[in-house]
Amino acid sequence: MKLSLRLVHLCRDRSCGALHWQRAVAILGLAVSLLACASEAVVQSTSTAQPAGRLYRPEGNGPFPAIVLLPACGGLGGYVFAQAELLKADGYVAFAVDTLSPRRATDLCLKGRHTVDDVAGDAFQALAYLRALPFVDRDRIGVMGWSHGAMAALTAISTQPRSGAFQVAVAFYPDCAYFSGNTAIPVLLLLGERDDWTPPGECVKTAARLQQQGRAVIYKVYPGAHHGFDQFRSQTVTYRGYTLGYDPVATADARASIRAFLVQHLRRSQP
């Protein structure tokens, strides 16, 4: 399978949201491609066997544990890129999946709920891609998603085979109707108390039930936090009738929780 790789520079401004980033990429794609850095590449596949996306690689030969990143329905943005950089700094390979370009879409929320299954398929394609890379530890790969991408991540781990599968999952503000609990892997759920798009109640109930069964399912509900609490905005906004708001305290705690969770459950077997 032939991959076309080109090096790009990340959006360093945390204030660029998903929609603004998409417009910037569309308008300034050529300029962005000239700002290269050796640890990051855009993967554009000519085959359906591999998803489009951005690969982040730490310094060194590895093999490194890795994380597949699935964005919210608006696609890749600063919040995903920031988390990918944090993962890279901590010694993880990260692959941020571009869920929009291959579908010629601008917003998967407008495409219907069936697209969750489609993005779960993207996750498995990214998993296969990472397992084939020589600098990735093929037995230590996790998945992380936001909103629509979080639902896809939970769908993936609930339907995956026992071997060659994701080893951990992190889900930001998902709809836990997509979380059957049919998984034995550790799961971290990061939820906003005031989320009116995907209220945390169902996730809390599911997590509590699985904890009673001895499953490693952890959940955190951030007081006062809205949907998209880790996506920088200068003010709270309304999108499709739902409230979106940035919470720096919840964001900092979520990132610290992810780091501790991955150290405990994904890096544990590393010499």
Side-chain angles (χ1 to χ4, degrees):
M1 301 171 190
K2 186 176 181 181
L3 290 177
S4 172
L5 298 179
R6 64 184 178 87
L7 299 179
V8 303
H9 185 72
L10 275 179
C11 172
R12 299 297 182 186
D13 180 359
R14 298 289 179 86
S15 67
C16 61
L19 294 176
H20 290 91
W21 176 259
Q22 291 158 16
R23 294 192 190 102
V25 170
I27 298 170
L28 301 176
L30 178 59
V32 171
S33 68
L34 297 176
L35 298 174
C37 61
S39 60
E40 174 193 341
V42 169
V43 180
Q44 296 176 322
S45 176
T46 57
S47 168
T48 56
Q50 297 171 148
R54 296 187 175 208
L55 179 68
Y56 296 74
R57 176 183 175 178
E59 297 292 334
N61 297 324
F64 304 104
I67 306 291
V68 172
L69 305 178
L70 304 175
C73 59
L76 293 175
Y79 64 103
V80 178
F81 303 143
Q83 184 62 62
E85 286 284 13
L86 291 172
L87 290 167
K88 185 181 75 172
D90 284 343
Y92 299 89
V93 170
F95 188 85
V97 178
D98 178 0
T99 56
L100 296 183
S101 296
R103 297 179 172 90
R104 298 182 180 181
T106 58
D107 189 334
L108 293 186
C109 286
L110 305 177
K111 296 292 185 178
R113 294 170 69 90
H114 70 278
T115 58
V116 169
D117 291 336
D118 296 338
V119 176
D122 292 348
F124 287 127
Q125 290 181 341
L127 172 64
Y129 166 67
L130 289 173
R131 282 172 59 85
L133 296 177
F135 52 86
V136 170
D137 185 335
R138 65 199 313 258
D139 295 319
R140 289 190 296 145
I141 302 176
V143 61
M144 183 184 307
W146 288 259
S147 191
H148 183 279
M151 300 171 210
L154 295 176
T155 297
I157 66 170
S158 298
T159 58
Q160 67 182 357
R162 293 184 178 274
S163 61
F166 291 113
Q167 298 302 301
V168 298
V170 178
F172 280 87
Y173 32 87
D175 178 350
C176 277
Y178 289 89
F179 187 26
S180 70
N182 183 31
T183 182
I185 71 170
V187 178
L188 174 62
L189 303 172
L190 301 167
L191 316 168
E193 178 192 35
R194 296 181 64 188
D195 190 329
D196 59 359
W197 195 341
T198 55
E202 185 67 25
C203 289
V204 171
K205 291 179 182 178
T206 300
R209 172 174 57 83
L210 295 174
Q211 286 176 349
Q212 292 177 348
Q213 298 172 6
R215 309 282 186 86
V217 178
I218 303 164
Y219 68 91
K220 302 195 79 170
V221 180
Y222 293 105
H226 294 287
H227 196 84
F229 61 75
D230 64 322
Q231 301 182 37
F232 181 82
R233 294 176 177 85
S234 59
Q235 60 185 1
T236 300
V237 300
T238 300
Y239 173 68
R240 301 184 70 205
Y242 302 107
T243 305
L244 307 178
Y246 176 64
D247 188 320
V249 174
T251 298
D253 187 86
R255 289 174 177 172
S257 297
I258 290 169
R259 175 176 288 172
F261 175 79
L262 294 179
V263 166
Q264 180 180 359
H265 296 291
L266 196 62
R267 297 186 71 96
R268 66 190 186 284
S269 61
Q270 188 175 32

